[in-house]
């Protein structure tokens, strides 16, 4: 893990190699492994490379669960949360939440990611207000408090969610 410090720009830039999926997949596996180390998360935050992971949500649909795991882990850093929100990463997650396939648990994982973003002390309240513009407030609050229960109310046909 110590050998990757200072090289996150190069590692994350490998995610742009969309023509060779195995390169992206291997880079994602390495990123998932190194994000278990808090020093690595700090270095990633200082590198400002989270946008490459966000873009992979759509360029590599087969790895979406792994990408959400990476983003959930990275969201322990306030700097990265702020970067994710500034890049519109919450909108990627809302799209997966509303339109994703839940057979694999993708929608549930997206709800967990959004919940993690909303619990961040500085940017979380601002995100809650932004999500309330897109989704009913009852769903946003459910997502913040109990993300595993978010998908069911989204699938209901009733008008009053209270």
């Amino acid at each position: 893990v110590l050998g990757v410090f200072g090289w996150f720009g190069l590692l994350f830039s490998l995610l742009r190699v969309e023509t060779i999926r195995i390169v992206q997949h291997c880079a994602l596996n390495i990123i998932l492994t190194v994000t278990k180390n808090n020093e690595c998360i700090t270095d990633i935050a200082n590198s400002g490379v989270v946008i490459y992971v966000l873009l992979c949500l759509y360029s590599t649909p087969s790895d979406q669960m792994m990408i959400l795991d990476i983003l959930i882990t990275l969201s322990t850093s306030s700097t990265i949360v702020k970067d994710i929100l500034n890049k519109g990463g919450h909108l990627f997650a809302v799209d997966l939440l509303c339109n994703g396939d839940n057979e694999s648990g993708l929608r549930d994982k997206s709800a967990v990611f959004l919940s993690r973003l909303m619990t961040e002390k500085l940017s979380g309240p601002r995100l809650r207000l932004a999500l309330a513009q897109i989704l009913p407030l009852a769903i946003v609050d459910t997502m913040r408090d109990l993300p595993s229960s978010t998908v069911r109310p989204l699938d209901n046909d009733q008008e009053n969610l209270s």
Side-chain angles (χ1 to χ4, degrees):
V1 171
L2 295 176
V4 296
F5 285 118
W7 294 98
F8 285 112
L10 177 62
L11 177 61
F12 278 71
S13 70
L14 291 174
L15 297 176
R16 296 186 339 202
V17 183
E18 294 179 12
T19 56
I20 308 173
R21 298 270 186 221
I22 190 73
V23 171
Q24 282 183 318
H25 183 73
C26 288
L28 286 168
N29 276 321
I30 293 168
I31 293 166
L32 183 62
T33 302
V34 299
T35 55
K36 291 175 178 36
N37 183 313
N38 286 334
E39 293 173 16
C40 289
I41 292 175
T42 302
D43 198 29
I44 291 168
N46 294 333
S47 300
V49 291
V50 76
I51 186 66
Y52 296 124
V53 179
L54 291 173
L55 293 174
C56 274
L57 275 173
Y58 289 102
S59 66
T60 56
S62 59
D63 290 327
Q64 286 176 329
M65 291 293 285
M66 183 185 344
I67 294 166
L68 285 171
D69 284 333
I70 291 168
L71 289 170
I72 289 168
T73 305
L74 288 176
S75 64
T76 58
S77 164
S78 294
T79 306
I80 292 178
V81 169
K82 185 177 177 184
D83 198 21
I84 288 171
L85 297 179
N86 287 338
K87 303 282 195 273
H90 60 292
L91 297 175
F92 288 111
V94 168
D95 179 52
L96 291 176
L97 176 69
C98 295
N99 301 317
D101 173 31
N102 210 36
E103 295 295 320
S104 61
L106 184 64
R107 294 174 72 194
D108 289 329
K109 186 76 73 169
S110 298
V112 169
F113 173 54
L114 287 167
S115 172
R116 183 66 75 83
L117 293 177
M118 278 191 284
T119 57
E120 200 274 326
K121 288 180 174 70
L122 298 175
S123 303
R126 189 180 76 194
L127 174 62
R128 181 181 172 276
L129 293 173
L131 290 176
Q133 300 294 316
I134 303 168
L135 299 168
L137 189 57
I139 290 177
V140 173
D141 288 339
T142 300
M143 188 178 349
R144 183 191 60 209
D145 300 333
L146 193 60
S148 60
S149 300
T150 303
V151 174
R152 194 183 43 179
L154 276 174
D155 291 339
N156 283 346
D157 288 337
Q158 68 187 40
E159 253 182 64
N160 186 5
L161 294 174
S162 305

